Amino acid sequence: VTNVLLPISSTDISSSTGDLTREEQIVVIPSGGSQWQRLSASLVAACYLGVRSAVASPVRASVALFENSTSTTWSIPSYHTVLKALTSQPVEELQDGMTLRLGTALMRCMRDLGDVSFVDLAQIALKGDANPEALSHALRWIGRMADPETFQQRLLVLARALEAPSPVVRDGAALGLVELGSPAATPALDTAIGRESNEALRQDLEQAATYLRAKG
Amino acid sequence: VPLLLRLSNNKRRWDWTPTDPPWLPADDVPGAPFGDLVPSTTSELSMWIVEDGDSNLHRIVAALAAGRKHLDKFDYLLIERQTLVDLGLVIEPREELCPDPDASTRWHCNVLRFSASRLTALVRVIHSSGRKERLQKPQVQRILDAALTAGHIDRSRLEQSLLDDLASQKAP
């Protein structure tokens, strides 16, 4: 991964966290750098370390007051454009294999807005700002995009969406990772399996991980 | 044990427990699973008869997936036939328009006489003892490819977008 701002190495994390579980650990990202750099660092933390992340506040010093690293995109107009794409097909029409309209709107959005749209989609998934069914289908479209140039961004966004509050969205993220078809996603899936409290969903995450592992 | 298959749009609809969602009244069922069991205007549900050993399962999956606009995962429910009979429902073999007419003639059926209480009872039974299964998209693709190769699916009935999907997935 290039252009990623990761201030704490995995060695530093293990040496400084003692007996803390992954759920209790956090990667602290400095507030400097671009929005995309911050998100990338956050996604790498989720993907490769299985640890949550936060952006350090330049004003406040307390860890308890850190912002979530993906909560810094509210002022970006593209956020609303991505939200609009997610509502391009009525929820009652969203059925497996029947979401071409949503997919077309989303692909157009990604093409027009570029990297920032991936940031926004991750943000929307984590904040639960769109209908979970729409997000689930959108994440699958992200996985099936035929665009090698954005592969890394898409992998990271899908891995981050495994932390979404909605089980429907977490499920959609795993389905998207299967569509993406990269064994590189298995560490993120394994971490998601470890923290998943929904037994049925955990089994589906395991199915997805097993599939990707077999591809490797 | 003879089984009936019902397509599920999202098996996450069936994930509830007595404590999740927390707002669910005791001994009640949430509304979500009913989205997978919406009867027709004549109170009937479309289902497929799965033969012993799931021998025709892939044929049924192909028949249903071939009616879509693009490749996707395939969630489905499997229910014991006797369960439906015990609920007072009637299973009537009936052909349905689909890209595999032979499969439809042999294994499609309508389940009749759904009332609100029978529908709720069916939701409870599926939740407690039904199988909630999933095929990932690559598996669905292989099943569809095999059905097309075997001549079970009439290629002319497939949406162009689905054919494009199948072709692009094969590309290196």
Side-chain angles (χ1 to χ4, degrees), chain B residues 85-130:
Chain B
V85 175
D86 292 345
L87 290 175
L89 298 162
V90 173
I91 301 161
E92 186 175 280
R94 193 182 298 174
E95 191 175 351
E96 184 186 61
L97 199 62
C98 83
D100 185 348
D102 182 48
S104 176
T105 303
R106 294 165 68 183
W107 302 307
H108 184 263
C109 63
N110 277 8
V111 181
L112 320 180
R113 302 184 188 178
F114 268 102
S115 64
S117 61
R118 284 172 176 166
L119 204 55
T120 305
L122 181 59
V123 166
R124 289 184 191 279
V125 169
I126 293 173
H127 183 248
S128 62
S129 59

Side-chain angles (χ1 to χ4, degrees), chain A residues 177-183 186 208-216, chain B residues 138 142:
Chain A
L177 288 170
V178 169
E179 300 241 14
L180 199 66
S182 170
T186 49
T210 300
Y211 169 78
L212 290 177
R213 218 168 263 122
K215 283 200 77 176
Chain B
R142 282 195 292 275

